[in-house]
Amino acid sequence: MTQIHPFLPRLEHAFTISIDLSRPYWITPGARGDTRAAIFAAQGVIEGPRLQGRVVPMSGGDYPLSRPNGVIDFDARYLLEAEDGAIIYLENRGFRWARSPEIAEKMRRNEPVGFEDYYMRVTPRFDAPAGPHEWLSQHVFVGVAEKVPNANRIHYFVVM
């Protein structure tokens, strides 16, 4: 029988960000053997039990590094605007990789794939103003992302 570790963290869904992305700009071939891209946050919405609002259009984007082994190393930074007008800075770091070469090729062509066909997780950090959104700057989060054509949908869970 397996015992549950007494410090096993509990996750609570905080919100989901659905973000539309610009076309990618590629820096290839990279001098280190990998490929860098720039993909801007065109627009988006924030919906959930603990935060609602929008992505500030063109306030930043993702600068992913595509490794030769197919792993994408995310480095995304952009602004959120809460429903009450508060501006929040978001920094996402994470990884995406396909579970097969065939799925990787479909993702490269921006075609739909099943959630079970890839791994896409992020660890966000937030800079929020003092007040009702300050909790964002005081907790650890995990994001589970969905890749949809020309967009991402990231479900953020606060670690309790």
Side-chain angles (χ1 to χ4, degrees):
M1 182 170 172
T2 312
Q3 281 190 297
I4 294 176
H5 193 281
F7 290 94
L8 179 70
R10 184 173 52 85
L11 300 177
E12 178 183 298
H13 179 245
F15 52 90
T16 296
I17 298 178
S18 298
I19 185 165
D20 295 331
L21 303 169
S22 76
R23 74 175 183 88
Y25 297 88
W26 299 99
I27 302 167
T28 185
R32 298 178 301 196
D34 41 29
T35 301
R36 175 78 65 187
I39 306 164
F40 299 99
Q43 63 184 358
V45 296
I46 307 161
E47 300 172 299
R50 298 197 60 186
L51 185 67
Q52 301 82 41
R54 70 183 187 115
V55 173
V56 176
M58 303 308 282
S59 62
D62 188 14
Y63 302 90
L65 186 67
S66 295
R67 300 179 192 166
N69 67 358
V71 173
I72 296 174
D73 186 343
F74 293 111
D75 182 4
R77 299 152 193 257
Y78 48 90
L79 298 177
L80 309 176
E81 183 176 14
E83 204 170 51
D84 64 3
I87 299 296
I88 301 160
Y89 174 80
L90 166 63
E91 177 184 340
N92 263 336
R93 299 300 307 256
F95 301 102
R96 185 184 91 194
W97 47 269
R99 298 194 189 276
S100 74
E102 296 78 24
I103 296 300
E105 185 55 36
K106 287 180 91 171
M107 293 179 91
R108 267 191 289 284
R109 292 190 307 257
N110 208 19
E111 295 175 6
V113 296
F115 176 71
E116 65 284 348
D117 293 332
Y118 61 92
Y119 177 93
M120 190 171 171
R121 307 291 187 268
V122 297
T123 53
R125 290 185 65 127
F126 299 93
D127 286 337
H133 306 294
E134 192 170 1
W135 66 276
L136 289 161
S137 302
Q138 299 171 338
H139 287 84
V140 171
F141 291 80
V142 174
V144 177
E146 296 177 69
K147 180 65 186 131
V148 293
N150 301 313
N152 286 332
R153 187 175 304 116
I154 306 173
H155 308 279
Y156 290 96
F157 298 87
V158 59
V159 179
M160 303 306 281

